[in-house]
Amino acid sequence: MIRPVAVLGVVVVAALGSAGLAAVAAGSPRGPGVVAVHQVPVRETVVACPGLRSRTGYTDSSVAAGTPPVQGSAPSSGGTAMVRTLTENPAKSRPLIVLRAPGASGVYTGRNGEHDSVVGRAVGAMAPGFTVTQTERTVDGGGRGLATTACLPSGSDFWFVGAGTQVGQHSVLVLTNPEDASAIVDVGVYGRRGRFDSPAGTGVNVPARSRVEIPVPTLAPAQPVLALHVQVRSGRLSAAVTETDVHGFQPRGTDWIPATVEPDRALVVPGVPTVGKDRQSSVVLDVAAPRADATVDVKLITPDGTFIPLGGGQIDVRSGTVRQVNLTRALQGQPAALLVTSDTPVVVGAKVVLQRPGYFGDSMYLAATPPLLAPAVVPDNIATSDLTTRLILSAPANDVTVHLLAYDAAGHERTTDVTVASGTTTAVAVLPPTVKPGEPIKGLRYRRFGLVLTPQPGSGPLYAVRWQDEEGPRGPLVSALPLQRARLTVPVYPAAPTVVTGVLPAP
Amino acid sequence: MTNPAAATDGTDAHAPDAAGGTADAPVPGPVEPDQNPSDEPSFADVFAEAFAPDEPEPPRDLSGHDVQVVLVSHDGARWLPRTLAGIAAQTRPVDRVVAVDTGSTDSSVAVLTGALGDDALRQVHPDTGFAAAVHAGVGPRAASATSATRSWIWVLHDDSVPAADALERLLTAADLAPSLAVVGPKVLGWDDSRRLLEVGVTISGSGRRETGLERREMDQGQHDGQHDVLAVGSAGALIRRDVWDDLGGFDPQLPLFREDVDLGWRANLAGHRVTVVTDAVVRHVEAAARGRRAEPVDADRARLTDRRSALYVLLANKPGVWLPLVWVRLVAGSLIRAAGFLVAKAPQDAVDELRAMDVLVQLRTLRRARAARATTATVRSSSIRELFPPPGRQARQAAEAFGGTVTTLLAATAPVSDRPGDVGVVESGPLDEGSDYEPDTFGRWLALARRPVVGLVLALLVVALAAWRSLFAGGSLLGGALLPAPDGSSDLWSTYTAAWHPISLGSATPSPPYLAVLAGFATVLLGKAGWAVAWLLVLAIPLSGLLAYIALGPLGVSRRLRVWASAAYALTPALLGGIAQGRLGTAALAVTVPLIGLAAWRTLGTPSRPGTWRATATLVLLLAVAEAFTPVVWLATLALAVAAGLTWVRDLTGRLRLLAVVVGPALLLVPWSGELLRHPSLVLLEAGTTVPAPVPRPWGTLFLSPGGVGAAPVLLGVGIVVAGLAAVLRIRDSRLVPTALMVAAVGFVLALVTATVTVTPPASAVTVPTYPGPALVLTTAGLIVAALGAARNARNRLTQQSLGWRQPATVVVAGLALLAPLGLGLWWVVRGADGPLHRGDAEVLPAFVAASSRQPDRVRTLVLQPFGGRLYYSVLRADDPRLGDAELQPPASSLRPLDDLVSQVASGSGVVAATDLGRYAIKFVLLPAPVDADLERTLDSVPGLIRVANPEGSSLWQVSGDIARMRLAGADGSTVATLPAGVVDADPAVPASPGDTVVLADRATGGWRAVDAGGTALTGSVRDGWAQQFLAPTTSGTMTLTYRDPVHTATLWLQLVLVVVTVVLALPGRRRDDEGEVDVDLDAVPADSRPGLAEVT
């Protein structure tokens, strides 16, 4: 005799029990799961430099290439790195630098009258971290100043903020196409009063393996500051902007304007150096709102912490315009990073002029950079008794510990750990591995050395700029090089075939 | 070999069946004179009295005529007494009676001898045909007849009774018009004197015997009068003796049927008149034609004889000019009719139809017959044309017959049994005819509108349409598991039938059969594949509600309960979630489950009504459709069949049916079911793409919630679960509750399994969770039926019991149960049916990319989409992804080399060259919007990839190099030349290039064949572990590349045959055509209580 109530009890218990078992078996909510990303060393790196512009007499132009010393078990041989001039016929191009082993660096010093773009290409074991920079040091004349820039891989979208086209400002947009296919480029120009439609910047054809220079005044004349948006419609290339500022016969400095990150709502412009409290030095932040009206907040990340500058930090920028904000007084002579937040995407850059009364000054340009979460490599640094190389490190969010490796061609190495407290900026001088800290560097002979910055695991985002500051006989010579992640390894995401790509939202 | 006494009946005859058994019924009454009841006069007395001289004078002197009755009998003892009495009662007495008996085995001979005496009876061999029997009765050409007397032969059957004045009126007409050669009476039904059987006959072009009357036409005098006709039926035909002699009488080649038509035709051609005189009446049983006559054991079937006679008569009498045409028409007609009989599941009739065609080739017999007719014919055929039925009428009749068949089929398929009282009775027969012939159309509509089912369906339709509000227009329907439908049903058909699917790197995977189901549906919808998908999803809710209501009819519960159950079933969380996720499978399953339940019920049968094979075939078909969409149903079927076979299906036939139900759908779904065998994990998936969206824990299945996007709040399903569980308390009431709970349990276990496991489909490299929706549809259905079973007599039970915990508990359960459909419906309307299902732009490829992909190079596009740490990619040819592509992707394992290549290229590591993509014929790399900025930057820096444009928010690169689907490769693998190719096949001109290879960027299988210009097959091999290549031809010329898979083609044909056979088996059988008269056993009723015969006796 079966009692129905007992059957009901059995049924309920069985259902609950099996569901419980299933729940245990299923574990956590199911899904495709996160896959471990596989990092592989880069096997090929191609970068292009905008070009040496050697001037008679006063200019030393050089291209420096290097790869960091091998760490861990990466392959130590089997590959070459070579820097060549860019010519239309690759067979005719001559190698300027040839590197054969990781850790090696090479410098090519240009000769007078040379005017070529150069292309660096590293394959195999030489590709990871292969970095090329170019430096021009002009001690006198209209183009006096120190100008450095990193050579970049080809891309399709660049922003530059800071070039001006007023009288005395000579700015040039350099488009270098190292590829085998020609590229078509549109340049969007934003000025103080809005966007310019310039035929000179529309449909610019850059033939394969060649360089095209566009004087920025042909795009938008008589503007104190501009934001340039270089969009590659087809093909790809690398772009750079340089500016030389002359006031009458008085040189006001020259430098390359680094590319800034694309429009965003939160940006960090690192590397504002120690600016003297004299009137002739200045730090000017340029904010462009390319898409919509923006209300921008600026904060300063200084060694003392993060604060809103005196006089309020809020700026309104109309859509399509660029505004300049002078931060010289607010900085009060401290190294800093500028933290820019906005309600709509903006692009930012900064121009720093260093000048002592009675001497010539020099300018340097800063840009917003992505945070440095992976090692960065600076292959060529110089130390003399007059020239100091510093790193300006900012940690806007969390404490950061950076592992610094200085090495030279002779195989000397020295490591230092630097800690940057959360919300502060630190400037540290870096020395060649052979020079002990505190020991004065004797003589003007260049001591070249390489640097590898490695943010330690657990650190927050780090922003870093290398700052070179030379006390020249006629005034300072300065230049800034924002540091970006070296292409040591790349993540290789496992690829999976599916039918839904493009048709349906992401699976 | 024949049954001569019953000749010349309708062509509607079919093989006699059970009705023939009535001949074995005990024959009371006046057959044996010594057994007669005393109150009834013996036939000898009646006969003697009839011949008494004191009969009234006829109004016209008919003495100049000599009438000889020829009465043919064969086992006609049931009717003979009345026939003889009718002859005896003639007002114009017959002059002679000759009876011919063809070997009767009953008491016919005794009856005849008793009435007529030995001399009047001629006994002939049982094999004698009707015509020959009449000849035997007529005797040789009568030389003795005087010229003054006109001799007549009056042919009568043993089952035909002439009215008392029949002969008088026939003779009067003949006397008035001497040109009459054959005079026939009006033939009425035997026991229904109002029923008109014949007023003359003719023959249609197909050989059908035409009476020109409607079915069951009543005699209201509408055909009265004297008409010239082609022929008159042999029962009661009065034939002039000299004409009979001239024409040779009935053609002895005609054993049975049509001899009357033949004679009349010949008489007409000979210039005589054949006339029907409706004043004269003969009643006729048409025993042979209606299958009431016991056939001789060795006799051929009536239908075969009928068709043979029909063909013979046509071929013997049609004018010679038309003969070839007639011949062709008869062949075609016979084949079509045979096919029709097959479909109507009358295979014996089909065989008869085909066997009868032997007449068509008996040329010698036909020539002889035509020669004989040529000697008597005196008038042109065209002069008697009006005696044949006009061609238009035949077409109309064919249409009516077809309509009748369709109505019959529909009536038999739609189990509309809406009577609340019919507990446990499953009515599969035709509808009550009366309801179909309501005269008042408006009243019928009104009655229909008052039915609760109409309100239910309308409400569900409103709910579905309201929830669907944002999905009516704006691009293709897609999202979730649903890929956009192609343009037309032909695309679906061609995808289904194709052996080689040109998607990705090409695949030979058998197409999922749900494509064929959808294609069929789309074909009905004027070829709109998009409509088929949308309608299936929109109508899933109202349709499943309607079908559930219909299927629940046999349970015999009140209409209110049925409405609740149907609404609860239609609004089950599993179906709602399935629709939101674009799961065609769940929707299709929800629609089919009620029908499956009904068919299963009929297959298993009840003690009072055993299961049928027809229901089994229907069930197999329905299960095949359901399993095509949701193969998990097969597991449920297997489990339930095993359970049923172990418990209450004990007989062999029942178990065989269960076996058929398990195996049948798998056979119908061949070749796809083979794919299931190869990859058993597919059983847990359903139609559409595999959506790797997270699905919540299995706890939800306890409350029928399938989980995932679009699932209803878990608690909304509680009512159904509680009601179903409450049914456990009534588990002993009937077999229904435990059966339904068994279904629910199996569904629940499968739902738990699908909610727990993850599978890796063969076409995907990613492990995905399975969707418990289909299994939960089964669970819901089981719980609802169980609840209905328990609630059937709840009211009576509860009112009879004393008040206790049961009454309030029932109220609570009922309240919860009622809330479930209401809450779910409301929630569904508020939420809407969209998300992730949506309407949108299904174009992935920019127009110019699609256009260049259609060029002879047939280049492809790599589409990338990073998500969740993975880089998803697909290789598109000229077409965007469409319905079915998910299942048709090549096995993921075969794409491993491409996985690695894509992964490396997209990483920008430079380890591999992007130009290697060219080996896969990939010319473009597309990053669809929204573009992943990191990936875009990386791809920008990859050497060999050139950005070409930014079409509408997406990013596009071109792979440098010469790229084509087909190329000529040198010994070092480099591309020597690209070759033009088609989508699958190709015939490029290839220069002589010994040592080179022709490389195809399609996966290598055994199906590729290449021949050079000279017809020599080229040696094929596999390149790089995946690609098909051939040694290049050594002579210049056109090389031909084809893909052939004979096994696939054969399997598709096999599938078609199996489906057709199952459909034929599942179709309702042809309705037995005994609607003519109610089959009353005449002898079972006292004679005097039959008014129709009172006047005869």
Side-chain angles (χ1 to χ4, degrees):
Chain A
M1 184 68 189
I2 308 167
R3 295 180 62 84
V5 178
V7 175
L8 178 60
V10 169
V11 166
V12 169
V13 168
L16 285 173
S18 50
L21 275 180
V24 170
S28 56
R30 297 168 300 153
V34 177
V35 202
V37 177
H38 184 51
Q39 296 274 350
V40 297
V42 173
R43 305 299 288 174
E44 181 175 18
T45 302
V46 179
V47 294
C49 307
L52 303 172
R53 292 179 305 151
S54 301
R55 295 180 188 85
T56 311
Y58 303 106
T59 303
D60 302 329
S61 291
S62 62
V63 176
T67 59
V70 174
Q71 289 169 328
S73 58
S76 60
S77 61
T80 55
M82 215 175 274
V83 177
R84 296 167 178 269
T85 54
L86 177 71
T87 55
E88 285 182 30
N89 186 349
K92 283 185 183 170
S93 80
R94 60 197 164 91
L96 308 177
I97 304 168
V98 179
L99 304 176
R100 300 204 182 278
S105 303
V107 179
Y108 170 78
T109 305
R111 288 168 294 197
N112 282 348
E114 225 169 23
H115 192 101
D116 286 320
S117 288
V118 297
V119 177
R121 176 180 152 89
V123 294
M126 295 300 288
F130 176 68
T131 310
V132 182
T133 56
Q134 74 168 46
T135 307
E136 297 142 50
R137 181 169 169 274
T138 308
V139 294
D140 210 346
R144 179 189 177 279
L146 185 64
T148 56
T149 188
C151 306
L152 299 177
S154 300
S156 60
D157 194 274
F158 305 89
W159 281 92
F160 299 95
V161 181
T165 54
Q166 285 175 324
V167 174
Q169 288 180 311
H170 304 286
S171 43
V172 180
L173 170 64
V174 184
L175 303 172
T176 311
N177 181 2
E179 307 291 327
D180 294 336
S182 63
I184 309 280
V185 175
D186 285 342
V187 185
V189 183
Y190 302 87
R192 199 165 61 179
R193 300 203 185 282
R195 194 190 154 107
F196 289 83
D197 286 323
S198 71
T202 306
V204 180
N205 183 26
V206 186
R209 292 182 294 275
S210 68
R211 179 173 75 165
V212 167
E213 293 187 5
I214 303 174
V216 179
T218 63
L219 302 173
Q223 292 291 315
V225 65
L226 292 171
L228 302 179
H229 184 198
V230 178
Q231 281 177 288
V232 186
R233 281 221 313 260
S234 88
R236 55 194 174 140
L237 45 68
S238 69
V241 177
T242 181
E243 183 176 82
T244 305
D245 202 355
V246 180
H247 187 69
F249 293 107
Q250 188 183 7
R252 307 263 309 252
T254 183
D255 217 327
W256 291 93
I257 301 176
T260 187
V261 300
E262 59 196 34
D264 205 344
R265 288 197 182 83
L267 300 161
V268 175
V269 181
V272 180
T274 310
V275 179
K277 290 181 186 175
D278 53 80
R279 284 183 197 165
Q280 281 142 319
S281 297
S282 66
V283 178
V284 177
L285 174 69
D286 308 318
V287 185
R291 293 173 199 166
D293 290 353
T295 305
V296 180
D297 287 304
V298 181
K299 285 182 187 171
L300 307 177
I301 304 171
T302 70
D304 300 333
T306 306
F307 60 88
I308 299 170
L310 289 171
Q314 201 163 64
I315 315 144
D316 289 323
V317 187
R318 275 194 301 112
S319 170
T321 66
V322 191
R323 257 192 89 169
Q324 292 182 295
V325 186
N326 195 325
L327 293 171
T328 317
R329 293 173 65 82
L331 281 164
Q332 300 184 334
Q334 288 186 308
L338 311 177
L339 179 62
V340 179
T341 51
S342 165
D343 56 344
T344 60
V346 291
V347 283
V348 293
K351 181 177 181 180
V352 179
V353 178
L354 287 176
Q355 187 170 16
R356 286 197 306 277
Y359 291 86
F360 293 144
D362 191 10
S363 58
M364 62 188 229
Y365 296 87
L366 303 173
T369 61
L372 196 60
L373 300 171
V377 177
V378 192
D380 178 44
N381 301 282
I382 299 168
T384 68
S385 59
D386 288 344
L387 196 156
T388 316
T389 297
R390 293 185 182 85
L391 291 173
I392 302 175
L393 308 170
S394 299
N398 289 311
D399 289 355
V400 174
T401 305
V402 195
H403 191 74
L404 291 183
L405 167 71
Y407 64 95
D408 62 15
H412 301 102
E413 290 185 3
R414 184 177 57 219
T415 60
T416 325
D417 280 352
V418 178
T419 301
V420 187
S422 169
T424 65
T425 295
T426 305
V428 289
V430 288
L431 299 170
T434 50
V435 177
K436 289 176 186 163
E439 181 182 336
I441 300 173
K442 292 171 183 161
L444 291 173
R445 195 172 63 84
Y446 286 171
R447 301 195 188 187
R448 294 179 179 272
F449 60 100
L451 268 179
V452 178
L453 284 79
T454 313
Q456 292 304 289
S459 298
L462 170 72
Y463 295 84
V465 168
R466 185 196 70 168
W467 172 32
Q468 286 184 312
D469 176 14
E470 181 177 356
E471 282 303 318
R474 310 196 62 170
L477 293 165
V478 293
S479 187
L481 185 72
L483 299 189
Q484 300 219 19
R485 179 178 75 88
R487 293 182 78 239
L488 292 166
T489 59
V490 286
V492 178
Y493 294 97
T498 178
V499 71
V500 301
T501 47
V503 194
L504 303 179
Chain B
M1 78 179 252
T2 56
N3 185 5
T8 64
D9 297 339
T11 51
D12 278 344
H14 59 83
D17 51 13
T22 52
D24 298 334
V27 185
V31 177
E32 305 286 346
D34 50 349
Q35 290 177 1
N36 280 352
S38 56
D39 55 330
E40 198 169 343
S42 82
F43 272 91
D45 297 343
V46 174
F47 201 70
E49 195 182 334
F51 277 86
D54 58 345
E55 74 176 320
E57 279 290 318
R60 190 177 171 86
D61 178 25
L62 299 171
S63 58
H65 298 273
D66 173 71
V67 178
Q68 177 189 358
V69 170
V70 178
L71 173 65
V72 182
S73 101
H74 179 91
D75 288 348
R78 293 172 69 197
W79 308 288
L80 264 178
R82 270 90 190 155
T83 309
L84 290 170
I87 295 171
Q90 287 302 308
T91 51
R92 193 298 187 184
V94 301
D95 296 296
R96 276 185 311 287
V97 179
V98 177
V100 183
D101 187 84
T102 58
S104 297
T105 53
D106 60 2
S107 53
S108 301
V109 174
V111 174
L112 287 171
T113 340
L116 303 172
D118 281 340
D119 293 345
L121 181 67
R122 314 251 160 91
Q123 283 182 288
V124 295
H125 193 263
D127 281 352
T128 315
F130 178 78
V134 176
H135 275 292
V138 171
R141 181 183 280 263
S144 63
T146 60
S147 55
T149 311
R150 292 167 72 189
S151 293
W152 296 89
I153 301 162
W154 200 23
V155 182
L156 284 171
H157 299 184
D158 55 0
D159 58 347
S160 61
V161 179
D165 59 351
L167 183 58
E168 183 185 345
R169 292 180 187 280
L170 290 174
L171 268 184
T172 306
D175 194 55
L176 287 170
S179 61
L180 297 189
V182 182
V183 192
K186 170 160 80 179
V187 184
L188 296 178
W190 176 266
D191 41 23
D192 180 2
S193 58
R194 292 167 305 163
R195 206 156 151 235
L196 204 49
L197 295 183
E198 277 179 24
V199 279
V201 293
T202 180
I203 188 166
S204 74
S206 62
R208 186 186 171 94
R209 190 172 185 268
E210 293 282 347
T211 60
L213 303 175
E214 303 289 326
R215 284 183 148 189
R216 297 197 217 176
E217 187 165 333
M218 291 291 140
D219 180 22
Q220 294 162 323
Q222 69 270 43
H223 294 290
D224 279 0
Q226 219 170 298
H227 314 288
D228 281 356
V229 291
L230 182 71
V232 293
S234 58
L238 188 65
I239 305 164
R240 226 163 72 198
R241 176 66 194 247
D242 56 332
V243 174
W244 172 275
D245 288 337
D246 287 347
L247 297 176
F250 289 141
D251 190 337
Q253 287 291 331
L254 294 168
L256 197 60
F257 304 127
R258 287 310 178 289
E259 71 289 315
D260 47 358
V261 176
D262 178 58
L263 183 71
W265 199 335
R266 283 188 281 142
N268 271 302
L269 283 178
H272 303 293
R273 283 175 66 196
V274 180
T275 301
V276 64
V277 176
T278 56
D279 293 342
V281 171
V282 168
R283 301 233 179 108
H284 195 192
V285 176
E286 296 189 335
R290 301 204 179 280
R292 290 208 205 147
R293 196 184 284 276
E295 293 283 316
V297 176
D298 59 339
D300 278 0
R301 271 166 295 275
R303 162 145 211 108
L304 173 59
T305 316
D306 178 68
R307 282 309 296 166
R308 277 198 171 127
S309 303
L311 299 180
Y312 176 83
V313 169
L314 282 177
L315 289 171
N317 289 305
K318 278 275 184 185
V321 193
W322 295 107
L323 211 53
L325 213 61
V326 171
W327 195 88
V328 168
R329 177 184 168 169
L330 290 177
V331 169
S334 291
L335 292 177
I336 291 172
R337 288 157 72 100
F341 283 125
L342 272 184
V343 169
K345 280 188 296 179
Q348 196 57 60
D349 288 358
V351 169
D352 288 346
E353 190 75 41
L354 295 176
R355 275 179 62 191
M357 290 170 73
D358 60 358
V359 174
L360 293 168
V361 292
Q362 290 168 359
L363 298 178
R364 189 183 297 171
T365 316
L366 290 174
R367 197 158 51 233
R368 214 180 298 131
R370 291 187 67 83
R373 279 156 182 76
T375 57
T376 58
T378 56
V379 301
R380 299 173 61 85
S381 276
S382 54
S383 63
I384 58 166
R385 193 185 287 152
E386 69 276 8
L387 298 178
F388 293 93
R393 195 165 106 220
Q394 282 172 259
R396 203 188 67 217
Q397 277 174 341
E400 278 171 7
F402 177 74
T405 311
V406 170
T407 317
T408 313
L409 289 183
L410 289 179
T413 2
V416 182
S417 168
D418 207 8
R419 282 158 292 167
D422 51 356
V423 180
V425 178
V426 181
E427 198 62 59
S428 76
L431 284 171
D432 180 14
E433 304 265 352
S435 67
D436 278 351
Y437 297 103
E438 287 278 349
D440 181 3
T441 317
F442 178 72
R444 278 173 64 199
W445 281 112
L446 205 63
L448 198 66
R450 283 209 197 98
R451 288 186 169 188
V453 63
V454 176
L456 167 76
V457 172
L458 284 181
L460 291 177
L461 194 61
V462 167
V463 166
L465 292 180
W468 203 257
R469 57 191 173 263
S470 59
L471 293 174
F472 283 116
S476 308
L477 202 57
L478 71 160
L482 182 66
L483 284 171
D487 293 336
S489 56
S490 55
D491 299 324
L492 285 174
W493 282 123
S494 61
T495 306
Y496 181 67
T497 52
W500 183 254
H501 304 286
I503 56 174
S504 186
L505 301 185
S507 94
T509 311
S511 300
Y514 77 86
L515 288 184
V517 178
L518 277 182
F521 187 29
T523 309
V524 174
L525 297 175
L526 305 174
K528 305 274 188 187
W531 288 9
V533 170
W535 285 36
L536 176 57
L537 289 173
V538 176
L539 295 184
I541 289 177
L543 200 55
S544 54
L546 171 67
L547 294 177
Y549 188 87
I550 290 171
L552 290 174
L555 290 188
V557 294
S558 74
R559 292 184 181 191
R560 287 180 189 173
L561 275 178
R562 271 166 76 189
V563 166
W564 166 79
S566 311
Y569 173 72
L571 293 167
T572 175
L575 177 58
L576 301 185
I579 292 175
Q581 296 186 17
R583 294 184 185 271
L584 287 177
T586 306
L589 180 68
V591 171
T592 44
V593 156
L595 298 176
I596 287 174
L598 197 59
W601 192 255
R602 289 181 184 169
T603 301
L604 295 172
T606 57
S608 60
R609 183 193 173 93
T612 63
W613 280 106
R614 182 171 85 72
T616 313
T618 313
L619 181 58
V620 166
L621 270 183
L622 288 167
L623 281 173
V625 170
E627 286 165 20
F629 282 92
T630 51
V632 74
V633 173
W634 189 83
L635 286 184
T637 312
L638 180 65
L640 291 171
V642 168
L646 290 179
T647 53
W648 44 282
V649 177
R650 293 284 184 188
D651 58 317
L652 182 64
T653 318
R655 287 184 174 166
L656 279 179
R657 288 201 185 108
L658 290 178
L659 186 67
V661 165
V662 172
V663 176
L667 287 179
L668 283 189
L669 298 180
V670 88
W672 177 71
S673 40
E675 191 73 1
L676 280 185
L677 275 183
R678 231 185 343 253
H679 306 286
S681 65
L682 283 177
V683 168
L684 296 177
L685 295 171
E686 65 175 292
T689 64
T690 52
V691 184
V695 171
R697 288 159 187 269
W699 288 111
T701 52
L702 279 176
F703 301 100
L704 305 176
S705 168
V709 197
V714 167
L715 285 182
L716 283 181
V718 163
I720 299 169
V721 178
V722 169
L725 285 180
V728 174
L729 296 176
R730 309 303 315 169
I731 202 163
R732 287 179 301 178
D733 278 9
S734 68
R735 211 167 60 181
L736 179 69
V737 175
T739 309
L741 285 174
M742 187 71 206
V743 174
V746 167
F748 179 66
V749 169
L750 286 175
L752 276 183
V753 170
T754 41
T756 307
V757 303
T758 53
V759 300
T760 309
S764 166
V766 182
T767 304
V768 290
T770 48
Y771 186 65
L776 284 177
V777 169
L778 293 181
T779 315
T780 313
L783 287 178
I784 287 175
V785 172
L788 282 191
R792 265 207 293 227
N793 294 314
R795 180 185 291 262
N796 290 341
R797 244 185 352 253
L798 290 173
T799 47
Q800 281 160 15
Q801 283 168 345
S802 56
L803 196 65
W805 63 272
R806 285 191 176 84
Q807 284 83 355
T810 308
V811 170
V812 169
V813 169
L816 282 176
L818 192 64
L819 279 180
L822 291 179
L824 282 163
L826 194 64
W827 171 83
W828 180 237
V829 169
V830 170
R831 181 197 181 271
D834 52 333
L837 182 70
H838 66 281
R839 276 199 187 268
D841 187 10
E843 308 297 316
V844 179
L845 297 180
F848 81 94
V849 172
S852 63
S853 302
R854 293 199 170 84
Q855 299 304 309
D857 278 349
R858 305 281 165 192
V859 294
R860 300 165 193 169
T861 305
L862 176 71
V863 188
L864 297 173
Q865 198 169 25
F867 181 78
R870 272 202 178 80
L871 184 65
Y872 290 95
Y873 74 91
S874 53
V875 178
L876 294 187
R877 303 199 179 192
D879 296 315
D880 297 318
R882 286 293 176 261
L883 201 64
D885 283 4
E887 289 90 345
L888 292 174
Q889 292 291 309
S893 54
S894 71
L895 294 181
R896 291 272 156 70
L898 184 56
D899 288 355
D900 292 343
L901 177 60
V902 168
S903 161
Q904 293 289 348
V905 166
S907 75
S909 69
V911 172
V912 293
T915 46
D916 283 354
L917 291 172
R919 288 191 284 117
Y920 296 84
I922 293 171
K923 179 76 176 171
F924 298 100
V925 177
L926 178 71
L927 207 54
V931 169
D932 181 272
D934 283 341
L935 184 56
E936 184 187 28
R937 210 170 295 127
T938 310
L939 288 175
D940 268 335
S941 68
V942 171
L945 287 188
I946 314 294
R947 182 183 275 264
V948 281
N950 288 318
E952 289 162 24
S954 56
S955 298
L956 186 70
W957 292 265
Q958 191 171 337
V959 181
S960 49
D962 289 336
I963 292 171
R965 174 176 172 240
M966 203 173 177
R967 65 193 171 99
L968 197 58
D972 59 346
S974 62
T975 301
V976 175
T978 60
L979 301 174
V983 175
V984 178
D985 297 348
D987 47 0
V990 181
S993 38
D996 291 352
T997 44
V998 173
V999 182
L1000 192 66
D1002 274 284
R1003 287 177 51 232
T1005 66
W1008 293 110
R1009 298 269 180 284
V1011 292
D1012 65 9
T1016 317
L1018 300 173
T1019 315
S1021 57
V1022 182
R1023 188 188 189 92
D1024 299 336
W1026 68 276
Q1028 180 71 41
Q1029 69 173 2
F1030 293 96
L1031 286 182
T1034 49
T1035 53
S1036 301
T1038 304
M1039 166 194 157
T1040 310
L1041 173 86
T1042 51
Y1043 187 87
R1044 295 285 176 271
D1045 189 349
V1047 177
H1048 177 262
T1049 315
T1051 341
L1052 278 185
W1053 279 109
L1054 172 70
Q1055 184 184 35
L1056 182 66
V1057 169
L1058 288 175
V1059 167
V1060 167
V1061 166
T1062 316
V1063 166
V1064 166
L1065 289 176
L1067 284 177
R1070 206 165 63 117
R1071 289 167 78 180
R1072 293 302 169 202
D1073 216 350
D1074 49 7
E1075 91 286 349
E1077 288 173 54
V1078 186
D1079 192 11
V1080 181
D1081 187 345
L1082 296 167
D1083 302 305
V1085 193
D1088 52 357
S1089 69
R1090 279 172 264 143
L1093 285 177
E1095 55 187 296
V1096 176
T1097 50

